[in-house]
Amino acid sequence: MCADRNVDVSGGAVAGWPDVPGDTALTIKVPPADPLVRADFPAHVTVLYPFLHESRIDAATDREIAGLFAGHAAFTLTFDTFGRFPGVLCLAPTPHTPVTAPTQHLTAHWPETVPYRGIFGASPAPHLTIANDEGPATQDTVYRTLEAGLAPRLPLSCRVEAVHLITWDGQRWQDRTAYPLAAGTCGVDASQRSE
C-alpha cells in the first residue's frame, strides 16, 4: 500500500508491485499526524497490506475479521521519533505490540497474506510514512530539513479504537469497513490510568 510501494531495500523501484483493483489493506488512521504528511495519502499505520482480495471478503470472512479485532484492546500510539527506510521518512509508533499482534494473528489465520508481499522481510516495523518521494541523491538533505521543521510538533498521540479495511478501486484507496477494538479496561489503557 501504498506508502512504500515504490522503494525496495536497495533504493530501487519495486517491479511488479502495483496496487491492483480489489487489493485491500488494514490500517490505523492517525488524524493528528495528517498535517505532517507530505505524501499523497492520509496519515496511517499499516496493520497488513496486502490483505485478502476484496472478492474474498464475504459476510463470513467479515465476521471472522471483526472477531479477530474484537479480541484486541483499544490503545494509544505515540509518535516522537523519526525513522527512515530507503527513500522514506517516517515516524515510529510506540508501543509496537498493539500493531504487530493483530498482524501476527491475521497472517496466522490467512497465511497467504504476507506483509508488503515479503519485500521488507517477514515482519517489517510499524511506521507512519511522512514522505516517500526522494531518491538516494537528495533524501538525506531533504529529509533532515523536513525532520527539523516537524520535530517541534512532536510528540503526538492518537487513540486507536478501530482498524479500517480499505480497498483499492484502481484509482484511489476507499474506506470499506471499520473493525472496532475491545474497549479494554473501562476504555482506558493501563498506561493512562492514574495510580
Side-chain angles (χ1 to χ4, degrees):
M1 139 165 207
C2 33
D4 313 319
R5 70 176 177 197
N6 296 323
V7 181
D8 70 12
V9 291
S10 65
V14 174
W17 191 4
D19 298 320
V20 297
D23 273 353
T24 65
L26 292 157
T27 67
I28 295 168
K29 293 183 179 187
V30 186
D34 280 339
L36 281 64
V37 173
R38 301 303 188 257
D40 63 349
F41 42 77
H44 69 279
V45 174
T46 301
V47 174
L48 184 57
Y49 163 82
F51 186 50
L52 301 173
H53 189 273
E54 180 179 38
S55 63
R56 292 188 53 199
I57 303 176
D58 58 14
T61 303
D62 189 64
R63 285 190 298 277
E64 288 180 82
I65 300 165
L68 185 143
F69 284 114
H72 291 272
F75 56 94
T76 297
L77 287 178
T78 299
F79 301 86
D80 60 6
T81 305
F82 290 101
R84 294 203 194 163
F85 297 106
V88 176
L89 174 64
C90 59
L91 288 170
T94 55
H96 279 195
T97 303
V99 179
T100 59
T103 305
Q104 292 167 354
H105 289 140
L106 289 159
T107 57
H109 193 80
W110 291 283
E112 69 275 25
T113 59
V114 177
Y116 297 100
R117 295 186 169 98
I119 293 170
F120 302 106
S123 49
H127 62 281
L128 186 156
T129 299
I130 297 294
N132 67 342
D133 59 351
E134 292 299 323
T138 57
Q139 69 182 4
D140 287 339
T141 301
V142 171
Y143 290 163
R144 199 173 18 254
T145 301
L146 187 52
E147 283 179 23
L150 297 177
R153 299 184 189 184
L154 302 180
L156 62 85
S157 293
C158 179
R159 181 76 178 156
V160 179
E161 296 179 345
V163 174
H164 299 264
L165 176 69
I166 59 175
T167 303
W168 180 250
D169 69 4
Q171 296 188 7
R172 65 187 184 108
W173 288 95
Q174 306 261 353
D175 283 327
R176 176 172 163 162
T177 306
Y179 297 105
L181 300 170
T185 307
C186 300
V188 178
D189 286 346
S191 64
Q192 294 178 328
R193 282 184 267 155
S194 57
E195 301 291 7

